[in-house]
Amino acid sequence: MRDLAWLLFAPDLLRVDQAGAKLAQPFASSAEREATLAWLHTLDAAPDPLHVRSRNPRSTRLGIYAESLLEFFLAHGPAARLVAANVPLRQQRRTIGECDFLLETADGARVHWELAVKFYLHIGDGASATARLSDYVGPNLQDRFDLKYGRLLTHQLALTTRAEFAALKLDGPWDAQLFIKGRLFYHDDSVIPAPEIGERHVRGWWLTASEWRAGHQAIDDARAWVVQPRLAWLASRRLQAGEAESLMAEAAAIHASLQAAVAPTMVASYVRDGAGGWTEESRGFIVPDDWPERARAFAASAL
């Protein structure tokens, strides 16, 4: 439920006036927004249909999980109506692309949404000029914001204009829009984000394992650290009392594993709240000590 609400209400990663394409708006009016909030409250009281749709024990791919949440909203929510999802385009039996979502708004407009949920670490420093999109790299150094951005604009959003799409007889015209959410992680809070980045984008931090050991690893009865599995990367979380007991029992083992990070690891800091549970305070990545050098080389390859 938190993840679905986060997808719908979290700020976009890109600025409206710098995105290079239209940004998707889940609600066409304030009335639809209020109706969605009421629908979420009702669903929260009986969420089994959402759980059945979104839980796939055979998949740990975050993109597929996010797609399942957004598809549920379009199929059952009070706003736009889902026409089709994951529509493949083929050329001589070869798949050349897939339209994420085709939907129809309350006023009859037909819209094509491409969903992207991305988590990038900024690898510049605060003393340099304004960041570039290529300075934002994926934790495993297999993805970069400029590459993803270019692919979305030049390929994904253009799918509904291709002859292969016209052959599917899905009446349009279709208004292509980018639905982009995520979180950007900074080593230096003074960094000026790239011009394309949304002013209110969700932020986090990153540290090397040595920096972590030097002063950010303390645990006590009021604070603990949790490794975030990939499918828990979306919304901030609150742990109930029972989960908190399990957390404290594992705190020492988690603490030890983080000090010797051999791969970038997303973690969250939790603090006790007044209701007997734990509330997430901040989120970041702990990376191996050699990761920044490799990340800078990956970012520099864009030049």
Side-chain angles (χ1 to χ4, degrees):
M1 284 300 305
R2 282 179 176 267
D3 289 340
L4 173 55
W6 183 89
L7 273 177
L8 297 176
F9 291 97
D12 295 307
L13 278 186
L14 296 175
R15 292 173 61 103
V16 171
D17 58 348
Q18 297 284 337
K22 290 184 180 178
L23 296 183
Q25 300 298 322
F27 323 112
S29 65
S30 58
E32 281 192 359
R33 185 182 188 279
E34 294 304 313
T36 298
L37 287 170
W39 175 76
L40 286 171
H41 281 296
T42 300
L43 183 62
D44 195 31
D48 284 353
L50 175 61
H51 292 173
V52 170
R53 176 64 188 89
S54 62
R55 284 177 176 163
N56 181 353
R58 294 173 297 177
S59 174
T60 59
R61 291 182 58 187
L62 188 61
I64 291 177
Y65 172 57
E67 284 182 359
S68 72
L69 296 173
L70 194 54
E71 182 179 347
F72 185 90
F73 166 70
L74 291 172
H76 303 285
R81 179 183 67 86
L82 180 67
V83 175
N86 304 120
V87 179
L89 274 64
R90 295 187 174 90
Q91 187 180 74
Q92 297 178 345
R93 298 183 180 180
R94 179 176 63 90
T95 299
I96 59 174
E98 192 173 85
C99 299
D100 286 345
F101 298 102
L102 303 175
L103 54 129
E104 186 174 348
T105 65
D107 60 5
R110 296 211 139 190
V111 180
H112 165 210
W113 280 356
E114 282 298 317
L115 173 65
V117 181
K118 307 305 295 184
F119 298 83
Y120 293 117
L121 286 68
H122 179 267
I123 193 55
D125 61 68
S128 65
T130 300
R132 305 162 301 164
L133 280 185
S134 58
D135 293 330
Y136 296 91
V137 300
N140 293 323
L141 303 183
Q142 297 177 344
D143 186 15
R144 219 172 50 216
F145 205 163
D146 62 316
L147 300 177
K148 181 63 177 180
Y149 177 70
R151 173 79 175 173
L152 286 166
L153 292 186
T154 61
H155 181 75
Q156 293 299 119
L157 289 178
L159 289 175
T160 46
T161 67
R162 296 181 62 114
E164 293 84 0
F165 181 84
L168 300 176
K169 305 299 183 182
L170 290 163
D171 294 337
W174 295 92
D175 185 13
Q177 299 176 2
L178 182 57
F179 196 117
I180 183 161
K181 306 284 182 170
R183 190 184 301 247
L184 303 179
F185 299 81
Y186 295 87
H187 193 251
D188 186 336
D189 286 338
S190 68
V191 168
I192 301 174
E196 300 90 344
I197 300 298
E199 294 179 352
R200 296 176 53 245
H201 70 280
V202 185
R203 300 172 68 111
W205 47 266
W206 66 265
L207 297 168
T208 65
S210 291
E211 290 169 332
W212 170 262
R213 290 192 298 269
H216 295 80
Q217 80 279 26
I219 57 173
D220 53 44
D221 288 341
R223 181 186 303 275
W225 297 88
V226 179
V227 174
Q228 299 292 110
R230 185 170 293 273
L231 294 188
W233 281 18
L234 300 184
S236 297
R237 281 167 158 69
R238 181 181 182 276
L239 304 179
Q240 303 298 327
E243 296 172 302
E245 291 178 6
S246 174
L247 168 64
M248 290 309 297
E250 299 171 359
I254 292 172
H255 173 259
S257 66
L258 292 176
Q259 290 195 49
V262 296
T265 304
M266 185 190 284
V267 300
S269 168
Y270 283 81
V271 295
R272 286 190 185 274
D273 58 33
W278 294 70
T279 299
E280 184 177 323
E281 183 182 48
S282 71
R283 189 178 296 195
F285 272 93
I286 300 172
V287 302
D289 287 347
D290 68 342
W291 183 90
E293 181 178 355
R294 293 186 287 116
R296 289 189 185 94
F298 183 49
S301 67
L303 299 177

